[in-house]
Amino acid sequence: MVEKTISAVQAKLQQSSLTFQKAEQELTEIIEARQRLDSQLSENELVLQEFKLLKPHNTVYKLVGPSLVPQDQEEARTNVEKRLEYIRNEMLVLGIVF
Amino acid sequence: MTEQQIDITDLSPAQLQEVKKQLDAELDHLTNSYSQLKQAQAKFKACVNDIGELTPKSKVPKFKREHVIYVEMRQLMNVGKEILVPLTSSLYVPGKINDPEYVVVDVGTGYYVRKTKSEARQHYTSKSNFVQQNLETLQKAIEKKQDNVQSVVGVLQSKLQEQRQAQPT
């Protein structure tokens, strides 16, 4: 009788600790994703800020593989803006998971 | 981090040890970030210097004849100056500077911008200043953390002392 309850409690404990471990792992994954997004966000923000200060003679190049390809200033800017929007969205999605 | 106020004198020595461990880890992280930022700043400063290297130091030449003016102006502007272009870290090809007024600056996320040298210098200087601001806030955070560690260690030591005195030898 007593043994039965002990083993039942043990089983329950094991299960709980398993769920706990899983939750912990999930948490670290979310934190890592969030940090990655954070750094991407600030980098893109800095680039956008830079683009806003451009004058006509400042040609923008985009790194494609090993070569630099000239790109329209306006195009580059909308590109970065789109990326910022995407990153903010991703952060919102993560925020709901939190 | 929980913002719940807990008096550290209420904690047991074992708990204090844990708190100290945590604080040490945070402090470690902060100092690591600090040195990384320092490195980044050094890189930006090096860039400013490198642009200075591209700018010739020779003074305005004396203009004698027209072709001399042309040659000397070219020299002054660094046009046609021979350089070695690194293709890999161990392979170089000779080249000449064609357009000494402009440089191309990496602004991040795979984008590069063609700037005049003075613009580029300004860009790197402002980056360096930006990092400097962050360094200062980080410095303050580190000092605060160190204070925290100090007080925890202080309480921990007095607790241990108490424990030792309470125990009959």
Side-chain angles (χ1 to χ4, degrees):
Chain A
M1 180 62 189
V2 178
E3 266 169 35
K4 237 184 196 169
T5 39
I6 287 179
S7 65
V9 167
Q10 255 174 357
K12 214 176 164 193
L13 175 69
Q14 205 162 31
Q15 229 200 336
S16 300
S17 83
L18 219 68
T19 356
F20 176 68
Q21 271 172 13
K22 245 194 202 153
E24 218 174 23
Q25 206 182 342
E26 250 175 73
L27 181 68
T28 40
E29 271 167 26
I30 291 170
I31 289 174
E32 272 166 22
R34 165 85 195 200
Q35 277 170 345
R36 217 172 21 245
L37 283 172
D38 248 339
S39 64
Q40 282 173 355
L41 183 75
S42 52
E43 192 178 356
N44 276 291
E45 267 172 350
L46 284 175
V47 174
L48 186 65
Q49 205 187 327
E50 189 58 40
F51 281 173
K52 280 183 179 157
L53 299 171
L54 288 185
K55 292 179 202 89
H57 69 271
N58 297 129
T59 323
V60 174
Y61 299 90
K62 190 169 176 11
L63 189 67
V64 182
S67 55
L68 291 175
V69 182
Q71 199 176 30
D72 193 47
Q73 280 188 19
E74 209 40 56
E75 199 185 323
R77 198 157 130 184
T78 44
N79 231 328
V80 172
E81 270 164 2
K82 234 183 263 162
R83 249 193 274 175
L84 276 171
E85 203 181 312
Y86 173 77
I87 292 169
R88 290 210 176 93
N89 254 326
E90 284 288 289
M91 286 177 114
L92 272 184
V93 172
L94 272 185
I96 293 162
V97 180
F98 258 118
Chain B
M1 231 180 286
T2 47
E3 280 303 316
Q4 208 179 350
Q5 286 276 332
I6 296 173
D7 193 350
I8 51 170
T9 48
D10 289 344
L11 295 175
S12 71
Q15 282 172 319
L16 281 173
Q17 293 272 23
E18 276 307 307
V19 173
K20 184 178 179 295
K21 228 196 252 170
Q22 226 177 63
L23 283 175
D24 278 341
E26 283 169 29
L27 196 59
D28 236 36
H29 181 72
L30 288 178
T31 40
N32 261 337
S33 309
Y34 189 85
S35 59
Q36 270 173 24
L37 271 182
K38 264 277 181 224
Q39 276 171 26
Q41 197 187 29
K43 246 183 222 167
F44 287 139
K45 281 184 177 162
C47 285
V48 175
N49 280 336
D50 291 346
I51 293 168
E53 290 291 320
L54 269 178
T55 316
K57 291 171 195 89
S58 53
K59 286 174 195 123
V60 181
K62 287 174 203 151
F63 300 129
K64 289 171 202 157
R65 278 181 227 135
E66 265 172 62
H67 75 278
V68 178
I69 293 175
Y70 177 68
V71 169
E72 288 186 339
M73 278 303 275
R74 273 171 70 93
Q75 274 170 1
L76 185 72
M77 304 275 294
N78 257 343
V79 177
K81 192 176 185 178
E82 290 236 8
I83 50 164
L84 286 172
V85 184
L87 291 186
T88 69
S89 57
S90 58
L91 179 63
Y92 294 82
V93 290
K96 278 181 185 155
I97 298 178
N98 220 348
D99 182 3
E101 197 36 50
Y102 287 95
V103 289
V104 177
V105 176
D106 182 357
V107 292
T109 66
Y111 281 111
Y112 291 73
V113 176
R114 182 169 176 262
K115 286 172 178 289
T116 64
K117 277 188 288 197
S118 69
E119 279 172 340
R121 193 178 298 133
Q122 208 183 340
H123 174 259
Y124 285 123
T125 316
S126 75
K127 283 263 181 215
S128 165
N129 288 342
F130 175 67
V131 175
Q132 182 63 37
Q133 277 172 18
N134 284 320
L135 275 171
E136 274 157 24
T137 35
L138 197 53
Q139 176 74 41
K140 273 179 206 140
I142 288 173
E143 276 163 20
K144 231 170 161 181
K145 271 287 173 258
Q146 275 168 341
D147 280 354
N148 286 348
V149 172
Q150 279 288 302
S151 52
V152 168
V153 168
V155 174
L156 180 61
Q157 267 165 0
S158 65
K159 285 250 169 177
L160 286 177
Q161 193 115 37
E162 264 173 49
Q163 226 173 32
R164 236 173 288 144
Q165 276 167 357
Q167 259 170 15
T169 37

